[in-house]
Amino acid sequence: MAGRLLARGMVAGCIAAALAFVFARIFGEPQVDLAIAFEATRHAAEAAHTHMQEAEPVSRATQASYGLLTAVVLYGTAFGGIFSLVFAYAYGRLNAWSPRALALLLAGAGFVAFVLVPDLKYPPNPPAVGVPATLAFRTITYFVMIGLSVSVGAIATLIGQKISQSKGAWTGSLWGVGLFIALIAAIQTAMPDVNEVPAGFPAVVLWRFREASIGMQLVLWSSMGLLFGTLAQRLLTPKAH
């Protein structure tokens, strides 16, 4: 059964990734082009010299089409497989939830833990934003934030379940959510800030790029939850005779 769920999770992730790619092409790539234009204008002389001497390893057209599609599909398929395994583990312990409801719940939790919380502290940036020398530091802090977010989510869930056993599901859920918010707020306050937006960079471009980035992730996770929930429902729910 786990293998059948895994296959369905990867399929759902792949389809969801294709939908996220369409969203990114429509809303995200125009902001990337504007950011690249800003960078080229700011460093016109240097950029012109570099382009005369060196050809781009990967063209911008390839990056925005096949490159983006490949990256998104691999990302979605991988997370779809992981998502299905987490679902299989949770479904065996939460049979009160229907497969569709549980899939949506897990997709929402995954979006919050893997995307929303890290992006609130370290939001994605378009080209021309960020100092190359701090790339390693920014990457490490971002993945640390993801790890802490997932860990705090697991702790809050366990504590909420313990409280639910004595105080009821509603009270346990409120305690779990409140504990998660409080711990994440404390962690994000303690984590170092990164402020590397260059002077003169268009605020609208930055804002819309970040909107598109989080919107792309929202499309991916919500579509994956809906698609996988439907596939799992058909697999796990006995057919009426």
Side-chain angles (χ1 to χ4, degrees):
M1 183 62 69
R4 297 169 73 181
L5 287 173
L6 176 62
R8 284 161 173 77
M10 296 178 70
V11 170
C14 184
I15 296 174
L19 296 175
F21 166 76
V22 174
F23 182 93
R25 282 284 294 173
I26 295 174
F27 297 102
E29 287 303 316
Q31 311 311 318
V32 174
D33 290 336
L34 291 173
I36 291 175
F38 171 84
E39 186 176 35
T41 301
R42 192 177 58 159
H43 303 292
E46 180 182 351
H49 175 74
T50 302
H51 289 164
M52 286 189 298
Q53 299 296 327
E54 300 178 3
E56 289 183 330
V58 181
S59 68
R60 172 67 188 134
T62 301
Q63 293 175 23
S65 54
Y66 300 110
L68 177 62
L69 177 62
T70 301
V72 172
V73 168
L74 290 176
Y75 175 90
T77 304
F79 266 99
I82 297 172
F83 180 84
S84 67
L85 296 178
V86 174
F87 173 91
Y89 176 84
Y91 186 70
R93 292 158 178 79
L94 298 173
N95 288 332
W97 291 77
S98 70
R100 286 178 179 171
L102 181 58
L104 284 177
L105 175 66
L106 293 177
F111 173 76
V112 171
F114 285 98
V115 179
L116 184 60
V117 168
D119 283 5
L120 286 175
K121 180 64 179 180
Y122 302 112
N125 290 323
V129 175
V131 178
T134 65
L135 178 61
F137 171 76
R138 288 183 281 121
T139 302
I140 291 172
T141 52
Y142 182 78
F143 280 102
V144 167
M145 192 69 247
I146 292 178
L148 291 172
S149 175
V150 173
S151 300
V152 169
I155 293 171
T157 300
L158 291 175
I159 293 177
Q161 287 179 341
K162 289 292 185 181
I163 295 175
S164 296
Q165 294 173 3
S166 58
K167 302 294 185 180
W170 177 252
T171 302
S173 298
L174 289 178
W175 272 95
V177 172
L179 179 62
F180 178 80
I181 294 174
L183 290 177
I184 287 299
I187 289 171
Q188 291 200 345
T189 301
M191 292 285 286
D193 295 323
V194 177
N195 184 12
E196 298 181 340
V197 180
F201 190 88
V204 173
V205 174
L206 181 62
W207 177 251
R208 288 180 178 171
F209 176 84
R210 290 174 173 174
E211 281 184 324
S213 296
I214 201 169
M216 172 185 169
Q217 292 283 357
L218 183 60
V219 169
L220 176 67
W221 283 91
S222 60
S223 300
M224 185 167 60
L226 289 169
L227 290 169
F228 179 78
T230 300
L231 296 174
Q233 184 84 19
R234 294 177 180 176
L235 177 64
L236 297 172
T237 302
K239 295 181 180 179
H241 295 285

